Amino acid sequence: MFCYQCEQTIGGKGCTKFGNCGKDAKVAALQDLLIYQLKGIGFYGQKLIEKGEKIDPEIQKFMMDASFSTLTNVNFDPERFIEYLKEAQKIKEILKFKTKGIEDNIPCAAEYILPDNEDEMLEDARKAGIMYDDSLDADIRSLRQTLIYGMKGMGAYAHHAHVLGKMDETVGEFFFKGFSAVTNDNLTVDELFNLIMKFGKVNLKCMELLDRANTEINGNPEPTEVVITKKKGPFIVVSGHDLRDLKELLEQTECKGVNIYTHSEMLPSHGYPELKKYKHLIGNFGGAWQEQQQEFDDIPGCILMTTNCLQKPRESYKDRIFTTSIVGWPDIAHIEEVNGKKDFTTIINKAIELGGWTEDEPEKKIIVGFGHNAVISIADQIIEAIKAEKIKHFFLIGGCDGSRPGRNYYTEFAEKTPKNTIILTLACGKYRFNKLDFGKIGDFPRLLDLGQCNDAYSAIKIVLALADAFKCDINELPLSMILSWYEQKAVCILLTLLSLGIRDIYLGPTLPAFISPTVLQVLIDKFNIKPISTPEEDLKTILGS
């Protein structure tokens, strides 16, 4: 195997025997082969799009779901990947039939025929590996992989929008355009780079689509206090990102005496009016995703994993963790959707059987719910505070968390920000500091939690509103972005920020292994991307003192 798609890849170069995420060589091979299949589907699908034909929405959905399934910490079940591979072959044959007459420059991925035997699939996966063609130009490989990883991230956001009933043709069709492009040996470095910038704009549309889906169904997030301590009684901890799964579970547990806690990226759910109205959405449990093995160890309740962020379950809680949707682990109970609904009876009964915690902890709370609607509604007050020099600077400190040493940088940076500055935060990186008391500037909390990683859209909306109010370019605002990355959703968000021309982003804790030195230099030259150094040095550079 060879995988370098996440920040914690071994040695900062690549996992070659076993993934740091818990992925074994078999699953890695099947994922490689699935991406290979998507390249073939992309080729035929793009030919149809160029002819002015529409692609079946179900095929578009397969492209986003299959991309999402290969994202870090989502699915570790080889049987599920074999199902995806077989479905991919059927779809490819359908599109191939519709494009009869194409004879020139057909890529190998398009002509590939999946064998029935698993051993043969694993053997074929060698040709689908990232490093299979050792003659490929390193910069071309780097840009191709960057685009693929961006599409994996967008696949997650498009999936979440789709389950809430939202699709967009531009977003859906880009999966074909992108996967087709990475099979085209005629595309130059400049052409691939330009396509990646176009992808960034498409991903912005995808994030806007998901924001609209979430808010139309659940209302606009409101500043809300969330209990972060334990309450007596049976419980289910919900992790991941999927608001629809949470809502269905809340409906099915109402009046059953089962408390529901959010975990990690589900924390922002408490700000949505249509979710927080359920009184048994009792609070938030634990911290970021990488702490789950310690936090879930032998707990007297159940866990529901709704999207990525899954780690290898310990034996102490293997009987009480459930997966749903794209998520999977071998021999773990999986809750399927049937006719558009999910029956959570099994996990609910298990939670009741386990009994839950036996006493309440002393209550502690934090505040969430500062989405773009909440912040922009008080924009005039913020603008006045800036003009009065009560607010001197904004720091967007957010992104993915992880266990690699060096991530304490983000805690220390947040702690060292001057008291006349505002911290905007989002995604699970905020767990490094979101329970600290940063105080207030007037009526404003200094720490504003904007939400999940996909709520980077909120950050963009807020920044654009400020730039419009001050009649200036985004890069002229008193704003600095201090970002942490771990997986491919962070990649697609970064590409969106770059596509908007945002400069001077500080990125860490390390730079992506899939970015070649030449491509990195282009990013530095065009956007002045900076690797993080120390909080003291970076703050000195930013604030000029």
Side-chain angles (χ1 to χ4, degrees), residues 257-277:
V258 177
N259 291 329
I260 305 299
Y261 294 84
T262 56
H263 174 262
S264 193
E265 282 276 67
M266 292 300 287
L267 169 62
S269 307
H270 294 270
Y272 288 91
E274 289 301 309
L275 297 176
K276 70 178 183 177
K277 71 181 184 183

Side-chain angles (χ1 to χ4, degrees), residues 316-334:
S316 63
Y317 62 88
K318 201 172 181 181
D319 67 327
R320 59 200 67 183
I321 185 168
F322 294 72
T323 59
T324 191
S325 186
I326 309 294
V327 195
W329 190 279
D331 303 320
I332 292 296
H334 186 75

